[in-house]
Structures are given as structure tokens and as C-alpha cells.
Amino acid sequence: MTEFLLIRHGANEYTRTNRLAGWTPEVHLNDHGKAQAAAVGEHLAKRKIHALYSSPLERTVETAQAVLHYHPHLTLQLLEDVGEVRYGAWQGQELGKLAGQKLWRTVQMAPSRVRFPGGEAMREVQIRAVGAIERLYEKHPRSTVAVVSHSDVIKMIVAHYLGVHLDLFQRINVSPASLTIISLSAGRAMIEQINETSYLPKEEKPKPEDSPAEKPKGGEDVSDKRG
């Protein structure tokens, strides 16, 4: 059996301000995200990990490096197929504004039919991400493999192994710096846990004199579609 530790990257300014980072370059962890990444690393410090992979984007690599700190015998390997959804024209946009577009409802209700303008189809993302996990299963039998990725990508992987249709994957929550565990063997897949966050530090609230970012307006829940 191969155990997969699926880790979402920590918080960054895109998650804080509710924008879709996608493949935007130079999106780094903010101070809270760094604290979250350090907590992930410490949480997994005593766990035997045989291989460590990451999406090639900066925020995932920085999170993976916090795990690597406690496992210096490992080599961090970048894996594009667990990289973020390519959102095309939606990349960098505010979720509050996107929620007013006609396509937004389809993203929420029937994501398997969505192709982002100038970007990927959601079903293509799920195929490439699950394909990556299956290749890692073949490469690392009877091992524990850590994979640092993104919210939607992890949710699509979990949905696949749960036997849940892609159109329902939005019901799965994957928070920044959370840990989800899946075990695969030749004849079965087991979801061991989803979205563990008990080890994470609480975010410091801004002081009254600070000017916090405005939250998206509208009736749709956009809290987990960012960064």
C-alpha cells in the first residue's frame, strides 16, 4: 500500500484578498502562510516519508521546503501535473467579480462541463492530477509520498478516489496548509482523512487601525476558490 500525504500550500496575498492566483508567477507565502508551512513541517517531522513532490509554483515549493526541513534526506521533485488549474482569462481576477459572470454558476453546479476562457477544462485537470498520483503509486510501492498541491487539484483527486462525480467536488473542503491522506493498493483506495488543520496556528487579526481587504460580495460561497 502506498500512502499519499496531500498538502495544500499555505496562505498568500491571493488567498487573503480572494483572487484566483492560478499560474501567476511570484506568488509567495505571506507571513501567516509561512507560519502555516512551518506547522505542517513540524506536524510531519516524525513521520517516515520516502518521497516529496510539489507543484512547481512558488507557494507550493515554499510549503514543501518546510517539510523538507525535517526530512533532509529527501530530494524535492517538481511535478507539473499536480500544478494549479490553468484559469486562463480568469487568472488574477477577484472572485467577487467573477461570481457575477454566467460561467460562474456552471463552475459551481456542473464543473465537468467547464473550460475556462483561454485555459483548461476542469475534467482535464482531474485526469492529469489523478494520472500523476497513479504514476507515483507505481513508482513508490509500499511507501509514504508527500505531494504539495492546490485546493481544486486536491479536491479533484479526493473526489476521484471517493467515487464522487466531478460535478460534486465543490462539496469537499481543502483549506490552506491542510493535510489530506489517501492510501492506494492494487485492489482498493482508502480516504484516511480530509482537510486536517488541527496543527495550524491561528491567524492574527488586523489591528483596528489597519485597513483589511474587502471580502467578495454576492450570494455565492467563494471562500475556497482562491490562490
Side-chain angles (χ1 to χ4, degrees):
M1 180 169 285
T2 298
E3 180 182 54
F4 287 94
L5 310 178
L6 305 179
I7 304 162
R8 184 183 173 188
H9 62 78
N12 53 77
E13 288 309 296
Y14 277 75
T15 59
R16 189 182 69 82
T17 58
N18 289 289
R19 290 179 292 157
L20 277 180
W23 284 74
T24 302
E26 300 299 322
V27 177
H28 297 277
L29 299 180
N30 59 22
D31 288 343
H32 183 55
K34 291 175 183 177
Q36 289 179 321
V40 174
E42 185 176 0
H43 181 65
L44 297 175
K46 295 182 179 179
R47 194 148 196 159
K48 190 171 185 180
I49 299 176
H50 301 91
L52 175 60
Y53 291 85
S54 173
S55 155
L57 295 166
E58 289 89 349
R59 58 197 184 273
T60 44
V61 171
E62 290 165 1
T63 304
Q65 287 171 337
V67 176
L68 189 64
H69 174 76
Y70 292 94
H71 300 272
H73 63 287
L74 297 177
T75 298
L76 176 59
Q77 302 177 71
L78 303 185
L79 189 58
E80 188 165 332
D81 281 345
V82 297
E84 180 62 288
V85 179
R86 295 186 184 276
Y87 292 112
W90 279 31
Q91 182 168 293
Q93 300 296 310
E94 296 179 13
L95 295 178
K97 293 180 179 178
L98 292 173
Q101 295 190 20
K102 184 178 181 180
L103 183 61
W104 180 267
R105 181 168 179 79
T106 308
V107 170
Q108 300 301 314
M109 303 301 294
S112 66
R113 300 184 61 198
V114 168
R115 178 180 295 279
F116 292 99
E120 284 184 292
M122 297 288 267
R123 59 188 178 275
E124 294 171 345
V125 179
Q126 186 179 45
I127 289 170
R128 67 164 162 85
V130 171
I133 296 298
E134 289 293 334
R135 290 191 295 275
L136 293 179
Y137 166 74
E138 295 291 339
K139 185 176 181 179
H140 301 285
R142 298 178 297 280
S143 302
T144 295
V145 180
V147 179
V148 185
S149 186
H150 306 267
S151 176
D152 278 351
V153 177
I154 295 174
K155 289 194 292 185
M156 286 188 241
I157 291 169
V158 171
H160 172 80
Y161 290 112
L162 276 174
V164 172
H165 195 279
L166 180 59
D167 286 347
L168 302 178
F169 95 111
Q170 299 283 20
R171 297 182 180 184
I172 300 167
N173 188 35
V174 174
S175 304
S178 63
L179 175 63
T180 294
I181 302 177
I182 297 175
S183 296
L184 300 182
S185 64
R188 66 190 302 187
M190 295 292 294
I191 308 300
E192 307 290 352
Q193 69 178 43
I194 299 175
N195 199 43
E196 181 188 358
T197 59
S198 61
Y199 49 84
L200 293 179
K202 294 187 181 298
E203 184 173 11
E204 293 185 11
K205 299 297 182 182
K207 297 177 182 178
E209 63 269 21
D210 292 342
S211 178
E214 184 178 352
K215 298 295 183 182
K217 296 181 175 64
E220 296 285 359
D221 179 10
V222 296
S223 61
D224 197 42
K225 290 285 298 173
R226 55 186 190 268

